[in-house]
């Protein structure tokens, strides 16, 4: 295992160029897509009256845009719909890196930062976007559910953030201790953080005997 | 299982009052502390030239403040050290909530948002703060490591965000479907997201045979 050494970023601009540890910025769009596809939640930051606010929001990549949805009554989504400058950040923690010093100790992670303004997904496309969100978060689920009602569609805001101006950072592999620390009598390595799906818990108000759906068993591990 | 129904927040102000789903805002400081204590990473948002930037940063609660550390060369940490308005958000995803409709489908999660300005931890306290960070992230590790060098201390910026103006949201339990959906022939419930520690992986440059340290085995699961 070695730390990844990619050095640029897809859609890189002066604002998104990775300033610190540029050797960790991943080059390829495939990495960008893969990180987003492992994410259930993004943290979305906007500015209101000079104060930044960062809130967790469910997300789903749809080609070269990232879909976000929330209530039409949400302040965050009102701001996003108005096209204010936004930053959408996804972070997946993969492990703790135990080096021979506190200074070199770190984490392995994958992160994406997308800058820009989101656009409202219009009514004609809203249901398809909701399907994409549901199928990203809960693959196999959409076809089991009744379609959204007109009232539900009206209460939901869906916005799309273009994957235009973004950076990707991937840190993986062993600690990078300087030579003079290598004889320290201390274990060094990585303790992985693992994400998995637990046993499905039936709702107390389930009105019939049913096994948890088979498609849940097929869900990919490692998403968070 | 039922969704939590706390309705206020510690250190709540007009800016942090939970506007959406206020029944999910947890009252007590114990919840605030518990969420932060399960977090390895926070997302820190600042504004630069009107653009919000949100970046993942390792964090550790130290009493009624949240410690963050980074490189003195980091733009984010220069801004934090200058005391600009910041927002620190922690999100722990606990499960997917499979309701009978896409509209009611959601996630169980715990999140904290802290607003304010961080203060630089001065030189006299910096090493103690680094110890707190290391011991939060890797309990048992600090005493195994050589002390930081003067050069390492000089290259590290530690800032503290007071836990003064903050909100906590906790969503847990079953889906909350309306009565008219309860007869839908679809399974409903929660699929937990579980976080655990994987088998420690020794560094390739380890110069002696050693078992992974015993303290790693005692690390609490469920942190991410």
């Amino acid at each position: 295992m070695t730390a990844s050494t990619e050095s640029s970023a897809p859609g890189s601009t002066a604002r998104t160029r990775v300033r610190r540890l540029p050797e960790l910025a991943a080059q390829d769009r495939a990495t960008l897509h893969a990180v987003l596809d492992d994410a259930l939640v993004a943290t979305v930051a906007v500015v209101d009256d000079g104060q930044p606010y960062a809130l967790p929001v469910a997300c789903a990549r749809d080609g070269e845009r990232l879909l976000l949805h929330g209530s039409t009554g949400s302040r965050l989504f009102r701001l996003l719909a108005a096209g204010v400058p936004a930053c959408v950040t996804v972070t997946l923690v993969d492990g703790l890196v135990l080096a021979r010093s506190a200074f070199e100790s770190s984490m392995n992670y994958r992160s994406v930062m997308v800058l820009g303004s989101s656009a409202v997904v219009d009514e004609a496309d809203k249901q398809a976007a909701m399907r994409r969100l549901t199928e990203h978060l809960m693959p196999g689920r959409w076809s089991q559910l009744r379609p959204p009602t007109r009232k539900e569609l009206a209460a939901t805001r869906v916005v799309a953030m273009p994957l235009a101006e973004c950076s990707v950072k991937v840190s993986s592999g062993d600690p990078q201790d300087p030579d003079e620390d290598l004889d320290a009598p201390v274990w060094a390595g990585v303790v992985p953080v693992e994400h998995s799906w637990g046993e499905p818990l039936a709702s107390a108000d389930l009105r019939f005997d049913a096994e948890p759906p088979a498609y849940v068993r097929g869900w990919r591990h490692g998403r968070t």
Side-chain angles (χ1 to χ4, degrees), chain A residues 207-221:
Chain A
R207 293 195 169 166
F208 54 95
D209 260 342
E211 290 296 307
Y215 52 81
V216 170
R217 308 288 178 185
W219 287 357
R220 191 155 49 88
H221 280 209

Side-chain angles (χ1 to χ4, degrees), chain A residues 168-189:
Chain A
V168 187
K169 287 181 78 175
V170 176
S171 181
S172 62
D174 283 347
Q176 302 290 306
D177 287 298
D179 285 349
E180 60 267 30
D181 279 342
L182 291 182
D183 286 323
V186 59
W187 186 89

